[in-house]
Coordinates of all heavy atoms in Angstrom, one line a residue:
M1 N 51.8 -105.4 87.7 CA 53.0 -104.5 88.2 C 52.8 -104.5 89.9 O 51.8 -104.7 90.4 CB 52.7 -103.0 87.7 CG 51.5 -102.4 88.0 SD 51.3 -100.7 87.2 CE 52.6 -99.8 88.2
K2 N 54.0 -104.3 90.4 CA 54.1 -104.4 91.9 C 54.3 -103.1 92.5 O 55.1 -102.3 92.0 CB 55.2 -105.4 92.1 CG 55.3 -105.7 93.4 CD 56.5 -106.6 93.8 CE 57.0 -106.5 95.3 NZ 58.2 -107.2 95.5
I3 N 53.5 -102.8 93.6 CA 53.7 -101.5 94.3 C 53.8 -101.9 95.8 O 53.2 -102.9 96.2 CB 52.5 -100.7 94.2 CG1 52.0 -100.4 92.8 CG2 52.7 -99.4 95.0 CD1 52.7 -99.5 91.9
T4 N 54.8 -101.4 96.5 CA 54.9 -101.6 98.0 C 54.7 -100.5 98.7 O 55.2 -99.4 98.6 CB 56.4 -102.1 98.2 OG1 56.6 -103.3 97.4 CG2 56.5 -102.6 99.7
Y5 N 53.6 -100.7 99.6 CA 53.3 -99.7 100.6 C 53.9 -100.1 101.9 O 53.4 -101.1 102.5 CB 51.7 -99.5 100.8 CG 51.0 -99.2 99.6 CD1 50.8 -100.3 98.5 CD2 50.5 -98.0 99.1 CE1 50.0 -100.0 97.4 CE2 49.8 -97.8 98.0 CZ 49.6 -98.8 97.1 OH 48.8 -98.6 96.0
T6 N 54.8 -99.3 102.4 CA 55.4 -99.7 103.8 C 54.8 -98.9 104.9 O 54.6 -97.5 104.7 CB 56.9 -99.4 103.7 OG1 57.4 -100.2 102.7 CG2 57.7 -99.8 105.0
T7 N 54.4 -99.4 105.9 CA 53.7 -98.7 107.0 C 54.8 -97.9 107.8 O 56.0 -98.1 107.6 CB 53.1 -99.7 108.0 OG1 54.1 -100.4 108.7 CG2 52.1 -100.7 107.4
A8 N 54.3 -97.0 108.6 CA 55.1 -96.2 109.5 C 56.0 -97.0 110.3 O 57.1 -96.7 110.8 CB 54.4 -95.2 110.2
D9 N 55.6 -98.2 110.7 CA 56.3 -99.2 111.5 C 57.3 -99.9 110.8 O 57.9 -100.8 111.3 CB 55.4 -100.1 112.2 CG 54.4 -99.4 113.2 OD1 54.8 -98.4 113.7 OD2 53.4 -100.0 113.5
G10 N 57.4 -99.8 109.5 CA 58.3 -100.4 108.6 C 57.8 -101.8 108.0 O 58.6 -102.6 107.6
V11 N 56.5 -102.1 108.2 CA 56.0 -103.3 107.5 C 55.6 -103.2 106.1 O 54.8 -102.4 105.9 CB 54.8 -103.7 108.4 CG1 54.1 -105.1 107.7 CG2 55.0 -103.9 109.8
P12 N 56.3 -103.9 105.2 CA 56.1 -103.8 103.8 C 54.8 -104.5 103.3 O 54.5 -105.5 103.9 CB 57.2 -104.5 103.1 CG 57.9 -105.2 104.2 CD 57.4 -104.8 105.4
Q13 N 53.9 -103.7 102.6 CA 52.7 -104.5 102.0 C 52.7 -104.3 100.5 O 52.3 -103.4 99.8 CB 51.4 -103.6 102.5 CG 51.3 -103.4 104.0 CD 50.2 -102.6 104.4 OE1 49.0 -103.0 104.6 NE2 50.5 -101.2 104.4
P14 N 53.3 -105.4 100.0 CA 53.4 -105.4 98.5 C 52.0 -105.8 97.9 O 51.3 -106.7 98.4 CB 54.4 -106.5 98.2 CG 54.5 -107.4 99.4 CD 53.9 -106.7 100.6
V15 N 51.6 -105.2 96.8 CA 50.3 -105.6 96.0 C 50.7 -105.6 94.5 O 51.7 -105.0 94.0 CB 49.3 -104.6 96.2 CG1 49.1 -104.3 97.7 CG2 49.4 -103.3 95.5
E16 N 49.9 -106.5 93.9 CA 50.0 -106.5 92.5 C 48.8 -105.8 91.9 O 47.7 -105.9 92.4 CB 49.8 -108.0 92.0 CG 51.1 -108.8 92.0 CD 52.1 -108.4 91.0 OE1 51.8 -107.8 89.9 OE2 53.4 -108.4 91.3
T17 N 49.0 -104.9 91.0 CA 47.9 -104.1 90.5 C 48.2 -103.7 89.0 O 49.1 -104.3 88.4 CB 47.9 -102.7 91.2 OG1 46.7 -102.0 90.9 CG2 49.0 -101.8 91.1
E18 N 47.3 -102.8 88.5 CA 47.4 -102.7 87.0 C 47.6 -101.2 86.7 O 47.0 -100.3 87.6 CB 46.0 -102.9 86.3 CG 45.5 -104.4 86.3 CD 46.5 -105.3 85.6 OE1 46.9 -104.8 84.6 OE2 46.8 -106.4 86.1
P19 N 48.3 -100.8 85.6 CA 48.4 -99.4 85.3 C 47.0 -98.8 85.0 O 46.1 -99.6 84.6 CB 49.3 -99.4 84.1 CG 49.9 -100.8 83.9 CD 48.9 -101.7 84.7
G20 N 46.9 -97.6 85.1 CA 45.6 -96.9 84.9 C 44.6 -96.6 86.0 O 43.9 -95.8 86.1
M21 N 45.1 -97.2 87.2 CA 44.4 -96.8 88.4 C 45.3 -95.9 89.2 O 46.5 -95.8 89.0 CB 43.9 -98.1 89.2 CG 44.7 -99.1 89.7 SD 43.8 -100.2 90.7 CE 43.0 -101.1 89.4
S22 N 44.7 -95.3 90.2 CA 45.5 -94.4 91.1 C 46.2 -95.2 92.2 O 45.7 -96.4 92.4 CB 44.7 -93.3 91.6 OG 43.8 -93.8 92.8
L23 N 47.1 -94.6 92.7 CA 47.9 -95.3 93.8 C 47.0 -95.5 95.0 O 47.2 -96.5 95.7 CB 49.2 -94.4 94.1 CG 50.2 -94.8 95.1 CD1 50.7 -96.1 94.7 CD2 51.2 -93.8 95.3
M24 N 46.0 -94.6 95.2 CA 45.0 -94.8 96.2 C 44.2 -96.0 95.8 O 43.9 -96.9 96.8 CB 44.2 -93.5 96.4 CG 43.1 -93.6 97.4 SD 41.6 -94.3 96.7 CE 40.8 -93.0 96.0
E25 N 43.6 -96.1 94.7 CA 42.6 -97.2 94.3 C 43.5 -98.6 94.5 O 42.8 -99.4 95.0 CB 42.2 -97.0 93.0 CG 41.3 -95.9 92.7 CD 41.0 -95.4 91.3 OE1 41.9 -95.6 90.4 OE2 39.8 -95.1 91.0
A26 N 44.6 -98.6 94.0 CA 45.4 -99.8 94.1 C 45.5 -100.3 95.6 O 45.5 -101.5 95.9 CB 46.7 -99.7 93.5
A27 N 45.7 -99.3 96.5 CA 45.8 -99.6 97.9 C 44.5 -100.0 98.4 O 44.4 -101.1 99.1 CB 46.3 -98.3 98.7
V28 N 43.4 -99.3 98.2 CA 42.1 -99.7 98.8 C 41.5 -101.0 98.3 O 41.1 -101.9 99.0 CB 41.1 -98.4 98.4 CG1 39.7 -99.0 98.8 CG2 41.4 -97.2 99.2
L29 N 41.8 -101.3 97.0 CA 41.3 -102.5 96.4 C 42.1 -103.8 97.1 O 41.5 -104.8 97.1 CB 41.5 -102.6 94.9 CG 40.6 -101.7 94.1 CD1 40.9 -101.7 92.6 CD2 39.2 -102.5 94.3
N30 N 43.3 -103.6 97.5 CA 44.0 -104.6 98.1 C 44.1 -104.6 99.6 O 44.9 -105.3 100.1 CB 45.5 -104.6 97.4 CG 45.5 -105.0 95.9 OD1 45.3 -106.2 95.6 ND2 45.5 -104.0 95.1
G31 N 43.2 -103.8 100.1 CA 43.2 -103.7 101.7 C 44.4 -103.3 102.3 O 44.8 -103.8 103.3
V32 N 45.2 -102.4 101.8 CA 46.4 -101.9 102.4 C 46.1 -101.0 103.6 O 45.2 -100.2 103.5 CB 47.2 -101.1 101.3 CG1 48.3 -100.2 102.0 CG2 47.8 -101.9 100.2
D33 N 46.8 -101.2 104.7 CA 46.7 -100.5 105.9 C 47.2 -99.2 105.8 O 48.3 -99.1 105.2 CB 47.3 -101.2 107.0 CG 46.4 -102.3 107.8 OD1 45.3 -102.2 107.6 OD2 47.1 -103.1 108.5
G34 N 46.7 -98.2 106.3 CA 47.3 -96.9 106.3 C 46.8 -95.9 105.3 O 47.2 -94.6 105.1
I35 N 46.0 -96.4 104.3 CA 45.3 -95.5 103.3 C 43.8 -95.5 103.6 O 43.2 -96.4 103.5 CB 45.4 -95.8 101.8 CG1 47.1 -96.2 101.6 CG2 44.8 -94.9 101.0 CD1 47.8 -94.8 101.2
V36 N 43.3 -94.3 104.0 CA 41.9 -94.3 104.4 C 41.0 -93.9 103.2 O 39.9 -94.4 102.8 CB 41.6 -93.4 105.6 CG1 40.2 -93.3 106.0 CG2 42.4 -93.9 106.8
A37 N 41.4 -92.8 102.6 CA 40.7 -92.3 101.2 C 39.2 -92.1 101.5 O 38.3 -92.5 100.8 CB 40.9 -93.3 100.0
E38 N 38.9 -91.3 102.6 CA 37.5 -91.0 102.9 C 36.8 -90.5 101.7 O 35.5 -90.7 101.5 CB 37.5 -90.0 104.0 CG 37.0 -90.4 105.4 CD 37.4 -89.6 106.5 OE1 37.4 -88.3 106.3 OE2 37.7 -90.2 107.6
C39 N 37.2 -89.5 101.0 CA 36.5 -88.9 99.9 C 36.5 -89.7 98.6 O 35.8 -89.2 97.7 CB 36.9 -87.4 99.6 SG 38.4 -87.3 98.6
G40 N 37.1 -90.9 98.6 CA 36.9 -91.6 97.5 C 37.7 -91.1 96.3 O 37.5 -91.6 95.0
G41 N 38.7 -90.2 96.4 CA 39.5 -89.8 95.4 C 39.2 -88.4 94.8 O 39.6 -88.0 93.8
G42 N 38.2 -87.7 95.5 CA 37.9 -86.4 95.1 C 38.8 -85.2 95.5 O 38.5 -84.1 95.3
C43 N 40.1 -85.6 96.0 CA 41.1 -84.6 96.4 C 40.4 -83.5 97.4 O 40.6 -82.4 97.2 CB 41.5 -83.8 95.2 SG 43.2 -83.1 95.6
S44 N 39.7 -84.1 98.4 CA 39.2 -83.1 99.4 C 39.4 -83.6 100.9 O 39.1 -82.9 101.8 CB 37.7 -83.0 99.1 OG 37.0 -84.1 99.3
C45 N 39.9 -85.0 101.0 CA 39.9 -85.5 102.5 C 41.4 -85.5 103.0 O 41.6 -85.5 104.3 CB 39.3 -86.8 102.6 SG 40.3 -88.1 101.7
A46 N 42.3 -85.7 102.0 CA 43.8 -85.8 102.4 C 44.1 -87.0 103.4 O 45.0 -86.9 104.0 CB 44.3 -84.6 103.0
T47 N 43.2 -88.0 103.2 CA 43.5 -89.2 104.1 C 44.1 -90.3 103.2 O 44.0 -91.5 103.5 CB 42.2 -89.6 104.8 OG1 41.2 -90.0 103.8 CG2 41.6 -88.7 105.7
C48 N 44.6 -90.0 102.0 CA 45.4 -90.8 101.3 C 46.8 -90.5 101.1 O 47.4 -90.8 100.2 CB 44.7 -90.9 99.9 SG 44.7 -89.4 99.1
H49 N 47.3 -89.7 102.0 CA 48.6 -89.2 102.1 C 49.7 -90.4 102.0 O 49.6 -91.3 102.8 CB 48.9 -88.4 103.4 CG 50.2 -87.8 103.6 ND1 50.6 -87.4 104.9 CD2 51.2 -87.4 102.8 CE1 51.7 -86.8 104.8 NE2 52.2 -86.9 103.5
V50 N 50.7 -90.2 101.2 CA 51.9 -91.1 101.2 C 53.2 -90.3 101.0 O 53.1 -89.2 100.5 CB 51.8 -92.3 100.0 CG1 50.6 -93.0 100.2 CG2 51.7 -91.5 98.7
Y51 N 54.2 -91.0 101.4 CA 55.6 -90.5 101.0 C 56.1 -91.4 100.0 O 56.2 -92.5 100.1 CB 56.5 -90.6 102.3 CG 55.9 -89.9 103.6 CD1 55.3 -90.6 104.5 CD2 55.9 -88.5 103.6 CE1 55.0 -89.9 105.7 CE2 55.4 -87.9 104.8 CZ 55.0 -88.6 105.8 OH 54.4 -88.0 106.9
L52 N 56.5 -90.7 98.8 CA 57.2 -91.4 97.8 C 58.6 -91.7 98.2 O 59.3 -90.8 98.6 CB 57.1 -90.6 96.5 CG 55.7 -90.3 95.8 CD1 55.8 -89.3 94.8 CD2 55.2 -91.6 95.4
D53 N 59.0 -92.8 97.8 CA 60.6 -93.2 98.1 C 61.3 -92.5 97.3 O 60.9 -92.0 96.0 CB 60.7 -94.7 97.9 CG 60.5 -95.5 99.2 OD1 59.8 -95.0 100.0 OD2 61.0 -96.7 99.3
Q54 N 62.5 -92.1 97.6 CA 63.5 -91.4 96.9 C 63.6 -92.1 95.4 O 63.6 -93.2 95.3 CB 64.9 -91.5 97.5 CG 65.7 -90.2 97.3 CD 66.8 -90.2 98.3 OE1 67.2 -91.1 98.9 NE2 67.4 -89.0 98.4
G55 N 63.8 -91.2 94.5 CA 63.9 -91.7 93.0 C 62.6 -91.7 92.4 O 62.5 -91.7 91.1
W56 N 61.4 -91.8 93.0 CA 60.1 -91.8 92.3 C 59.5 -90.5 92.3 O 58.5 -90.5 91.5 CB 59.2 -92.9 93.2 CG 59.7 -94.3 93.0 CD1 60.4 -95.0 94.0 CD2 59.6 -95.2 91.8 NE1 60.7 -96.2 93.4 CE2 60.2 -96.3 92.1 CE3 59.0 -94.9 90.6 CZ2 60.2 -97.5 91.3 CZ3 59.1 -96.0 89.7 CH2 59.7 -97.3 90.0
C57 N 59.9 -89.5 93.1 CA 59.1 -88.3 92.9 C 59.0 -87.7 91.6 O 57.9 -87.1 91.3 CB 59.8 -87.2 94.0 SG 59.8 -87.8 95.7
D58 N 60.1 -87.7 90.8 CA 60.0 -87.1 89.5 C 59.3 -87.9 88.5 O 59.1 -87.4 87.3 CB 61.5 -86.9 89.0 CG 62.2 -85.8 89.9 OD1 61.5 -85.2 90.7 OD2 63.4 -85.8 89.8
T59 N 58.7 -89.1 88.8 CA 58.0 -89.8 87.9 C 56.5 -89.5 87.9 O 55.9 -90.1 86.9 CB 58.1 -91.4 88.2 OG1 57.4 -91.7 89.4 CG2 59.6 -91.8 88.2
F60 N 56.2 -88.6 88.7 CA 54.7 -88.1 88.6 C 54.7 -86.5 88.3 O 55.8 -85.8 88.7 CB 54.0 -88.4 89.9 CG 53.9 -89.8 90.3 CD1 54.6 -90.5 91.1 CD2 52.7 -90.5 89.7 CE1 54.5 -91.8 91.4 CE2 52.5 -91.8 90.0 CZ 53.4 -92.4 90.9
D61 N 53.7 -86.1 87.7 CA 53.5 -84.7 87.5 C 53.5 -83.9 88.8 O 53.1 -84.5 89.9 CB 52.2 -84.3 86.8 CG 52.3 -84.9 85.4 OD1 53.4 -85.1 84.8 OD2 51.2 -85.0 84.7
E62 N 53.9 -82.7 88.8 CA 53.8 -81.9 90.0 C 52.4 -81.9 90.5 O 51.4 -81.9 89.7 CB 54.2 -80.3 89.6 CG 55.7 -80.2 89.2 CD 56.5 -80.3 90.4 OE1 56.3 -79.6 91.4 OE2 57.4 -81.3 90.5
P63 N 52.1 -81.6 91.8 CA 50.8 -81.6 92.4 C 50.1 -80.4 91.7 O 50.5 -79.3 91.6 CB 51.0 -81.4 93.9 CG 52.4 -81.5 94.1 CD 53.2 -81.5 92.9
A64 N 48.8 -80.7 91.4 CA 47.9 -79.6 91.0 C 47.5 -78.6 92.2 O 47.8 -79.1 93.2 CB 46.5 -80.2 90.5
P65 N 47.1 -77.5 91.9 CA 46.8 -76.5 93.0 C 45.9 -77.1 94.1 O 46.2 -76.9 95.4 CB 46.1 -75.4 92.4 CG 46.5 -75.4 91.0 CD 46.8 -76.9 90.6
E66 N 44.9 -77.8 93.7 CA 44.0 -78.4 94.8 C 44.8 -79.4 95.7 O 44.6 -79.4 97.0 CB 42.8 -79.3 94.2 CG 42.0 -78.6 93.1 CD 42.6 -78.6 91.9 OE1 42.9 -79.8 91.4 OE2 43.0 -77.5 91.2
E67 N 45.7 -80.2 95.3 CA 46.4 -81.1 96.0 C 47.4 -80.3 96.8 O 47.6 -80.6 98.1 CB 47.2 -82.1 95.0 CG 48.0 -83.2 95.9 CD 48.8 -84.1 95.2 OE1 48.6 -84.2 93.8 OE2 49.7 -84.8 95.7
S68 N 48.1 -79.4 96.3 CA 49.1 -78.6 97.1 C 48.4 -77.9 98.2 O 49.0 -77.9 99.3 CB 49.7 -77.5 96.2 OG 50.4 -78.1 95.2
S69 N 47.3 -77.5 98.1 CA 46.5 -76.6 99.1 C 46.2 -77.6 100.3 O 46.2 -77.2 101.5 CB 45.5 -75.7 98.7 OG 44.6 -76.4 98.0
L70 N 45.9 -78.9 99.9 CA 45.5 -79.8 100.9 C 46.7 -80.3 101.8 O 46.7 -80.3 103.0 CB 44.8 -81.0 100.4 CG 43.3 -81.0 100.1 CD1 42.9 -82.3 99.6 CD2 42.5 -80.7 101.4
L71 N 47.8 -80.5 100.9 CA 49.1 -80.9 101.5 C 49.6 -79.8 102.5 O 50.2 -80.2 103.6 CB 50.2 -81.2 100.5 CG 50.0 -82.5 99.8 CD1 51.0 -82.5 98.5 CD2 50.3 -83.7 100.6
E72 N 49.4 -78.5 102.2 CA 49.9 -77.4 103.1 C 49.5 -77.6 104.5 O 50.1 -77.1 105.4 CB 49.3 -76.2 102.4 CG 50.3 -75.0 102.3 CD 49.6 -73.8 101.5 OE1 49.6 -74.0 100.3 OE2 49.1 -73.0 102.2
F73 N 48.2 -78.1 104.7 CA 47.6 -78.2 106.0 C 47.7 -79.5 106.7 O 47.2 -79.7 107.8 CB 46.2 -77.6 106.0 CG 46.0 -76.2 105.6 CD1 45.6 -75.9 104.3 CD2 46.4 -75.2 106.4 CE1 45.7 -74.7 103.8 CE2 46.3 -73.9 105.9 CZ 46.0 -73.7 104.6
L74 N 48.4 -80.4 106.1 CA 48.5 -81.8 106.7 C 49.7 -81.8 107.7 O 50.7 -81.2 107.5 CB 48.8 -82.7 105.5 CG 47.7 -83.6 105.0 CD1 48.3 -84.6 104.1 CD2 46.9 -84.2 106.0
D75 N 49.4 -82.6 108.8 CA 50.6 -82.8 109.6 C 51.6 -83.8 109.1 O 51.1 -84.6 108.4 CB 50.0 -83.5 111.0 CG 49.2 -82.5 111.9 OD1 49.5 -81.4 111.7 OD2 48.4 -83.0 112.7
G76 N 52.8 -83.6 109.4 CA 53.8 -84.6 109.0 C 54.0 -84.5 107.5 O 54.7 -85.6 107.0
V77 N 53.9 -83.3 106.9 CA 54.2 -83.2 105.4 C 55.6 -83.2 105.3 O 56.4 -82.6 106.0 CB 53.6 -82.0 104.9 CG1 54.1 -81.5 103.7 CG2 52.0 -82.4 104.6
E78 N 56.2 -83.9 104.2 CA 57.6 -83.9 104.0 C 57.7 -83.4 102.4 O 56.6 -83.5 101.7 CB 58.2 -85.2 104.1 CG 58.3 -85.6 105.6 CD 58.8 -87.0 106.0 OE1 59.3 -87.6 105.0 OE2 58.7 -87.4 106.9
P79 N 58.9 -83.1 101.8 CA 58.9 -82.7 100.5 C 58.5 -83.8 99.6 O 58.1 -83.5 98.5 CB 60.5 -82.5 100.3 CG 61.0 -82.2 101.6 CD 60.2 -82.9 102.7
N80 N 58.5 -85.1 99.9 CA 58.1 -86.2 99.2 C 56.7 -86.6 99.4 O 56.3 -87.7 98.9 CB 59.1 -87.3 99.3 CG 59.1 -87.8 100.7 OD1 58.6 -87.2 101.6 ND2 59.5 -89.0 100.9
S81 N 55.9 -85.8 100.0 CA 54.5 -86.0 100.4 C 53.6 -86.0 99.2 O 53.8 -84.9 98.4 CB 53.9 -85.1 101.4 OG 54.5 -85.4 102.8
R82 N 52.7 -86.8 98.9 CA 51.7 -86.6 97.9 C 50.4 -87.4 98.4 O 50.3 -88.0 99.3 CB 52.1 -87.4 96.6 CG 53.3 -86.8 95.9 CD 53.2 -85.5 95.4 NE 52.1 -85.3 94.5 CZ 52.2 -85.3 93.2 NH1 53.4 -85.4 92.6 NH2 51.2 -85.1 92.4
L83 N 49.2 -86.9 97.7 CA 48.0 -87.6 97.9 C 47.8 -88.6 96.7 O 47.9 -88.3 95.7 CB 46.8 -86.5 97.8 CG 46.8 -85.4 98.9 CD1 45.8 -84.5 98.7 CD2 46.9 -86.0 100.4
S84 N 47.7 -89.8 97.3 CA 47.8 -91.0 96.4 C 46.7 -91.0 95.4 O 46.8 -91.7 94.4 CB 48.0 -92.3 97.2 OG 46.9 -92.4 98.1
C85 N 45.5 -90.4 95.7 CA 44.4 -90.5 94.7 C 44.7 -89.7 93.6 O 44.1 -89.8 92.5 CB 43.1 -90.0 95.3 SG 43.1 -88.3 95.8
Q86 N 45.9 -88.8 93.7 CA 46.1 -87.9 92.4 C 47.3 -88.5 91.6 O 47.7 -87.8 90.7 CB 46.5 -86.5 93.0 CG 45.4 -85.9 93.8 CD 44.1 -85.7 93.0 OE1 44.1 -85.1 91.9 NE2 43.0 -86.4 93.5
L87 N 47.6 -89.6 92.0 CA 48.8 -90.2 91.3 C 48.4 -91.5 90.5 O 48.0 -92.5 91.0 CB 49.8 -90.7 92.3 CG 50.4 -89.6 93.3 CD1 51.4 -90.2 94.2 CD2 51.1 -88.5 92.4
L88 N 48.3 -91.3 89.1 CA 47.9 -92.3 88.2 C 49.1 -93.2 87.9 O 50.2 -92.7 87.5 CB 47.4 -91.8 87.0 CG 45.9 -91.5 86.8 CD1 45.6 -91.3 85.4 CD2 45.2 -92.7 87.4
L89 N 49.0 -94.6 88.0 CA 50.0 -95.5 87.7 C 50.1 -95.7 86.2 O 49.2 -96.0 85.7 CB 49.5 -96.8 88.6 CG 49.7 -96.7 90.1 CD1 49.1 -97.9 90.7 CD2 51.1 -96.4 90.6
R90 N 51.4 -95.7 85.9 CA 51.8 -96.1 84.4 C 52.6 -97.3 84.5 O 53.2 -97.6 85.6 CB 52.6 -94.9 83.9 CG 51.9 -93.6 83.8 CD 52.8 -92.7 82.9 NE 54.3 -92.7 83.4 CZ 54.7 -91.7 84.1 NH1 54.1 -90.6 84.4 NH2 56.0 -91.7 84.5
P91 N 52.8 -97.9 83.4 CA 53.5 -99.3 83.5 C 55.0 -99.0 84.0 O 55.5 -99.9 84.7 CB 53.7 -99.6 82.0 CG 52.4 -98.9 81.3 CD 52.1 -97.8 82.1
D92 N 55.5 -97.8 83.8 CA 57.0 -97.7 84.3 C 57.0 -97.4 85.9 O 58.0 -97.2 86.4 CB 57.7 -96.5 83.5 CG 56.9 -95.1 83.7 OD1 55.6 -95.2 83.3 OD2 57.4 -94.2 84.1
H93 N 55.7 -97.4 86.4 CA 55.8 -97.3 88.0 C 55.9 -98.7 88.5 O 55.8 -98.8 89.8 CB 54.6 -96.6 88.4 CG 54.5 -95.1 88.2 ND1 53.5 -94.5 87.5 CD2 55.5 -94.1 88.3 CE1 53.7 -93.3 87.2 NE2 55.0 -93.0 87.8
D94 N 56.2 -99.7 87.7 CA 56.3 -101.0 88.3 C 57.5 -101.0 89.3 O 58.6 -100.6 89.0 CB 56.7 -102.0 87.2 CG 56.6 -103.5 87.7 OD1 56.0 -103.8 88.7 OD2 57.2 -104.3 87.0
G95 N 57.3 -101.4 90.5 CA 58.3 -101.5 91.5 C 58.3 -100.3 92.4 O 59.1 -100.3 93.4
L96 N 57.4 -99.4 92.2 CA 57.2 -98.3 93.1 C 57.1 -98.6 94.5 O 56.4 -99.6 94.9 CB 55.8 -97.4 92.7 CG 55.5 -96.2 93.5 CD1 56.4 -95.1 93.2 CD2 54.1 -95.8 93.0
C97 N 57.7 -97.8 95.4 CA 57.7 -98.0 96.9 C 57.3 -96.7 97.5 O 57.9 -95.6 97.1 CB 59.1 -98.3 97.3 SG 59.6 -100.0 96.9
V98 N 56.4 -96.8 98.4 CA 55.9 -95.6 99.1 C 55.7 -95.9 100.5 O 55.8 -97.1 100.9 CB 54.6 -95.0 98.6 CG1 54.6 -94.7 97.1 CG2 53.4 -96.0 98.8
R99 N 55.7 -94.9 101.4 CA 55.6 -95.1 102.8 C 54.1 -94.5 103.2 O 53.9 -93.4 102.7 CB 56.5 -94.4 103.7 CG 57.7 -95.2 104.2 CD 58.7 -94.6 105.1 NE 59.0 -93.3 104.6 CZ 58.8 -92.1 105.4 NH1 58.3 -92.2 106.5 NH2 59.2 -90.9 105.0
T100 N 53.4 -95.1 104.2 CA 52.3 -94.4 104.6 C 52.7 -93.8 106.0 O 53.4 -94.2 106.7 CB 51.1 -95.5 104.8 OG1 51.5 -96.5 105.6 CG2 50.7 -96.1 103.5
P101 N 51.9 -92.7 106.3 CA 52.0 -92.0 107.5 C 51.6 -92.7 108.7 O 50.7 -93.6 108.5 CB 51.4 -90.7 107.4 CG 50.4 -90.9 106.3 CD 50.8 -92.0 105.5
A102 N 52.0 -92.3 110.0 CA 51.5 -93.0 111.2 C 50.1 -92.8 111.4 O 49.4 -93.8 111.8 CB 52.3 -92.5 112.3
S103 N 49.5 -91.7 110.9 CA 48.0 -91.6 110.9 C 47.7 -90.7 109.7 O 48.4 -90.1 109.2 CB 47.6 -91.0 112.3 OG 48.1 -89.6 112.3
Q104 N 46.3 -90.8 109.5 CA 45.8 -90.1 108.2 C 44.9 -89.0 108.6 O 44.1 -89.3 109.6 CB 45.1 -91.1 107.3 CG 46.0 -92.1 106.5 CD 46.7 -91.3 105.2 OE1 46.6 -90.1 105.1 NE2 47.4 -92.1 104.5
G105 N 44.9 -87.8 108.0 CA 44.0 -86.8 108.2 C 44.3 -85.9 109.2 O 45.3 -86.0 109.9
Ligands
FES201 S1 41.2 -90.0 98.7 FE1 40.5 -87.9 99.5 S2 42.1 -86.7 98.9 FE2 42.6 -88.6 98.1

């Protein structure tokens, strides 16, 4: 399945990955720029922030309270902001497009 992470400068970074991993893991394994993931997926660092492209927001569950409270204090948060370590990829996420913020954390 294909996921595209587009940088804040508009550079698309397409990767091939497998369902079952998180959107953060798929980025880190493929050396995507713009995802730091300092805490390794523990939902405590907020350096895996992404913006989901329009149309994809409803394909993931609502953020859990831990994710929401981290997002609350992040710079540059938008309604489509999520922490990518909390987003598990399913087969129907093939073609997913997200943007990474200009800086993380
Ligand atoms: S990797 Fe740390 S919050 Fe997502």
